[in-house]
């Protein structure tokens, strides 16, 4: 996914933590952005959709704004 995010112009994404039902990613803002210039709901929804396809269950993405980026939390229903 990191290469897709960069090619799509969405920024640099990096996995921070992983557990059985939760993943945490950090999406770094573009170098010329001081604060998010637009909503990142598209990126969050894309990640949730990818996890739904991978695990065949419902996934949800939440966002947490940080100083130089956004933390994306992906949660899936336990199997």
């Amino acid at each position: 996914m990191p290469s897709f995010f960069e090619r799509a112009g969405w920024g640099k994404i990096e996995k921070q933590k992983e557990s059985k039902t939760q993943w945490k990613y950090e999406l770094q803002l573009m170098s010329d952005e001081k604060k998010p210039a637009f909503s990142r709901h598209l990126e969050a929804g894309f990640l949730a959709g990818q996890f739904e396809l991978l695990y065949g269950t419902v996934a949800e993405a939440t966002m947490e704004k940080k100083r130089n980026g956004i933390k994306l939390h992906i949660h899936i229903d336990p199997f």
Side-chain angles (χ1 to χ4, degrees):
M1 281 189 271
S3 62
F4 176 81
F5 268 69
E6 287 189 49
R7 283 185 284 168
W10 290 352
K12 184 178 178 184
I13 191 164
E14 188 176 298
K15 183 169 38 173
Q16 301 292 307
K17 271 187 165 180
E18 179 180 341
S19 71
K20 213 173 195 180
T21 60
Q22 183 176 330
W23 291 261
K24 294 181 182 181
Y25 288 88
E26 184 170 339
L27 179 61
Q28 295 177 356
L29 299 177
M30 301 296 211
S31 59
D32 59 341
E33 285 184 277
K34 298 290 183 217
K35 60 180 183 176
F38 54 90
S39 171
R40 303 297 177 157
H41 290 100
L42 175 66
E43 292 87 336
F46 174 81
L47 274 178
Q50 294 303 304
F51 278 89
E52 286 181 354
L53 290 173
L54 285 170
Y55 292 96
T57 188
V58 177
E60 176 186 29
T62 58
M63 296 184 296
E64 178 185 350
K65 292 181 182 179
K66 292 294 186 181
R67 185 173 182 176
N68 295 323
I70 296 174
K71 293 227 184 233
L72 299 168
H73 304 271
I74 310 298
H75 307 272
I76 62 170
D77 282 342
F79 315 174

